[in-house]
Amino acid sequence: ARFIHWGDYDPVGVAEYLRLLAACPGRDQMHVPENLEALLRKHGKSALIADQADILDGLRDCTDEKVVRPMIALFDRYGRGLEQEMLLAVVGKANS
């Protein structure tokens, strides 16, 4: 079985992805929307980064170039994280 992790786009969500990856090597991937950068800019919350600074610092040693390093770069660039529920709200508005 394969697992697609669709957690929050914040340090806790990335840490959860890494735990699943360790538990299920080769079977886990993280859903990352193509427009994540724009969503972070528009709908992201700075508190998700500020409140999770210790977790973010712990992720900095991770060498995963596919998910973790790009996510850290986005967190650093925008200083925001995004709750996955926001994706549902954005899609719901687009379909209204």
Side-chain angles (χ1 to χ4, degrees), residues 22-87:
C24 305
R27 299 187 313 163
D28 185 41
Q29 69 185 60
M30 185 166 178
H31 172 74
V32 180
E34 291 180 22
N35 61 341
L36 179 60
E37 188 167 354
L39 291 168
L40 272 172
R41 246 189 341 258
K42 185 172 183 178
H43 302 288
K45 295 180 179 180
S46 58
L48 292 173
I49 299 302
D51 294 347
Q52 300 173 18
D54 290 344
I55 297 168
L56 178 58
D57 287 343
L59 294 172
R60 293 192 185 281
D61 292 334
C62 183
T63 59
D64 178 280
E65 295 289 335
K66 185 177 179 185
V67 173
V68 179
R69 302 302 312 158
M71 292 295 279
I72 290 172
L74 288 173
F75 300 153
D76 288 345
R77 183 176 304 131
Y78 297 105
R80 298 173 180 206
L82 184 73
E83 295 170 326
Q84 54 89 1
E85 292 88 355
M86 183 54 69
L87 298 179

